[in-house]
Amino acid sequence: MMGTASKPADDSLRYLDDGAVESVYRVLLPQCDHVVVEMGRLLQRAAEGCVPAVQVKGRVKRLPSLLDKLQRKFTSEELAEPLPALRRLADLMALRAVCPFLEDVDLVVEAARSVFEIQEVEQKGEGRSFAEFGYASTHLQVSLPYE
């Protein structure tokens, strides 16, 4: 007989007011979209000088994914006010720079350093072969001023 995993007891104590988060999200979404577009332009201009074929794309995390992440990462007390929790997320907004060659990645990282304050660099798939992971990926976490 196989046992089934049960949810940790802590999960029953978690509470997320989806409506409150959605209200804050709807107010912030146009601003976040604007920031993503402007950051994408900055990175595109900086990177094109050294990697002319780079393609920069951006996104704001979608609401269902955001709700799921908030539920996993924060306590009910932390979620009582959604805005501070949203500000603590590192991936509410994201850019992707697609490089034609692996050797271009380091050049794009340096271009990003020239226009953003980088807080963290993470090599995704490190320790695995390119064939096993499927692609090379360097994630940069940058800080944004809140106004």
Side-chain angles (χ1 to χ4, degrees):
M1 183 169 143
M2 295 181 56
T4 58
S6 62
K7 288 185 177 180
D10 182 51
D11 278 1
S12 64
L13 300 176
R14 291 190 179 231
Y15 173 75
L16 177 61
D17 182 348
D18 292 6
V21 173
E22 183 173 358
S23 294
V24 171
Y25 180 84
R26 297 284 176 220
V27 169
L28 292 177
L29 186 58
Q31 298 167 34
C32 291
D33 280 334
H34 178 74
V35 168
V36 166
V37 168
E38 291 304 314
M39 289 180 68
R41 285 183 186 149
L42 280 172
L43 182 56
Q44 184 76 44
R45 279 195 298 265
E48 280 178 342
C50 53
V51 183
V54 68
Q55 293 180 339
V56 177
K57 301 172 185 177
R59 64 102 175 122
V60 177
K61 187 176 278 294
R62 295 186 182 272
L63 185 59
S65 177
L66 176 64
L67 292 171
D68 181 56
K69 185 162 196 169
L70 288 170
Q71 189 75 30
R72 284 191 331 266
K73 299 284 184 182
F74 296 99
T75 66
S76 57
E77 292 81 20
E78 292 171 317
L79 292 171
E81 292 292 327
L83 188 56
L86 288 172
R87 286 184 167 174
R88 289 176 45 201
L89 289 179
D91 65 344
L92 180 60
M93 297 175 281
L95 296 178
R96 171 174 290 151
V98 179
C99 302
F101 305 105
L102 284 176
E103 56 269 13
D104 293 340
V105 173
D106 290 337
L107 296 171
V108 173
V109 169
E110 287 310 307
R113 285 186 199 284
S114 75
V115 292
F116 302 123
E117 184 178 331
I118 297 177
Q119 301 299 315
E120 183 179 315
V121 177
E122 180 183 2
Q123 302 294 329
K124 293 289 186 173
E126 199 169 39
R128 296 188 220 168
S129 71
F130 183 80
E132 181 182 17
F133 192 66
Y135 61 95
S137 179
T138 301
H139 288 205
L140 307 176
Q141 182 178 336
V142 303
S143 60
L144 296 176
Y146 286 102
E147 296 178 14

